[in-house]
């Protein structure tokens, strides 16, 4: 059975896509980021809670502040990428639910009145949205370099507040020279899928 998506698009989004480790110096514009968001915002989340928040690191001063919180091997990549995004989970996402889930505005208080419940929901659903974001970057013809090798507490203190939990840092741009490591193996269908 074939997929509805064109094979070239399948390659762009999945088969040929890998984590980029180098980038050209071509800038990533606000218009490109807006287009990425305007595509990926339609990806589903539970209760349409949409807890992902994106902090774009553009200034040299902010970049320097971020680089010091990256793992040593990730520092040069983050320092050189045309654009860096800090993806975080908004633990107060429920405040937006009356607008985002208008057919059941009481969901805000019925399901998400307690902070630990919100944190769990925000983490799961923002991680899902982070995956959409990475695919959206690829759909824009750019390369993504998502990384979790960082001081999460340091990034939160430096760029966020207590209501936002950092998930990852994503370097974004056109792939540079030797951007890709060799493709690592993947599990076979029969190793992953069980029918009951």
């Amino acid at each position: 059975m074939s997929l509805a998506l064109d094979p070239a698009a399948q390659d762009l989004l999945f088969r040929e896509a890998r984590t980029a480790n180098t980038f050209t110096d071509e800038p990533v514009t606000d218009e490109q980021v807006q287009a990425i968001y305007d595509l990926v915002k339609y990806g589903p989340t539970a209760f349409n809670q949409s807890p992902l928040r994106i902090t774009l690191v553009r200034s040299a001063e902010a970049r320097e502040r971020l680089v010091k919180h990256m793992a040593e091997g990730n520092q040069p990549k983050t320092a050189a990428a045309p654009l860096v995004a800090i993806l975080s989970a908004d633990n107060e996402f429920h405040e937006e639910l009356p607008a985002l889930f208008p057919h059941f505005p009481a969901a805000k208080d019925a399901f998400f009145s307690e902070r630990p419940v919100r944190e769990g929901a925000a983490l799961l659903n923002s991680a899902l949205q982070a995956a959409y974001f990475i695919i959206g970057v690829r759909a824009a013809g750019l390369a993504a370099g998502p990384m979790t090798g960082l001081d999460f507490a340091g990034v939160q203190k430096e760029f966020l507040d207590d209501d936002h939990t950092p998930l990852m840092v994503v370097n974004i741009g056109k792939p540079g020279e030797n951007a890709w490591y060799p493709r690592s193996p993947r599990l076979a269908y029969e190793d992953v899928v069980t029918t009951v």
Side-chain angles (χ1 to χ4, degrees):
M1 176 181 172
S2 63
L3 300 173
L5 194 63
D6 175 273
Q10 295 172 36
D11 288 343
L12 176 70
L13 299 179
F14 294 100
R15 282 194 283 269
E16 298 300 324
R18 294 192 290 261
T19 295
N21 294 287
T22 67
F23 298 90
T24 69
D25 58 3
E26 183 178 332
V28 176
T29 67
D30 289 334
E31 291 77 19
Q32 287 173 299
V33 178
Q34 177 81 51
I36 291 165
Y37 177 73
D38 285 342
L39 174 65
V40 304
K41 69 183 179 184
Y42 293 109
T45 56
F47 292 91
N48 197 35
Q49 59 190 247
S50 307
L52 182 71
R53 302 296 179 261
I54 303 165
T55 303
L56 299 178
V57 180
R58 285 207 180 273
S59 73
E61 179 270 333
R63 183 74 60 104
E64 187 175 314
R65 287 167 40 219
L66 177 59
V67 166
K68 72 181 182 183
H69 294 294
M70 302 303 296
E72 186 176 344
N74 291 333
Q75 289 180 354
K77 294 184 270 191
T78 301
L83 180 63
V84 182
I86 301 168
L87 304 187
S88 64
D90 182 358
N91 297 307
E92 297 298 311
F93 68 86
H94 69 307
E95 296 295 344
E96 305 292 339
L97 282 182
L100 292 175
F101 206 61
H103 50 283
F104 185 27
K108 172 188 172 189
D109 298 315
F111 296 106
F112 301 109
S113 61
E114 296 181 17
R115 175 71 180 236
V117 173
R118 290 197 306 274
E119 288 177 351
L123 182 62
L124 175 64
N125 287 279
S126 61
L128 183 61
Q129 286 187 286
Y132 299 149
F133 181 79
I134 292 165
I135 293 171
V137 168
R138 294 171 179 170
L142 299 169
M147 298 172 294
T148 56
L150 56 110
D151 172 6
F152 286 91
V155 168
Q156 182 176 27
K157 184 176 180 183
E158 194 83 45
F159 293 95
L160 307 170
D161 59 32
D162 290 341
D163 291 331
H164 293 81
T165 303
L167 301 171
M168 65 183 69
V169 166
V170 182
N171 294 330
I172 304 168
K174 291 284 187 182
E177 189 175 341
N178 300 316
W180 321 114
Y181 295 148
R183 168 72 75 196
S184 295
R186 296 297 190 268
L187 294 173
Y189 176 86
E190 57 272 11
D191 295 328
V192 175
V193 177
T194 303
T195 302
V196 294

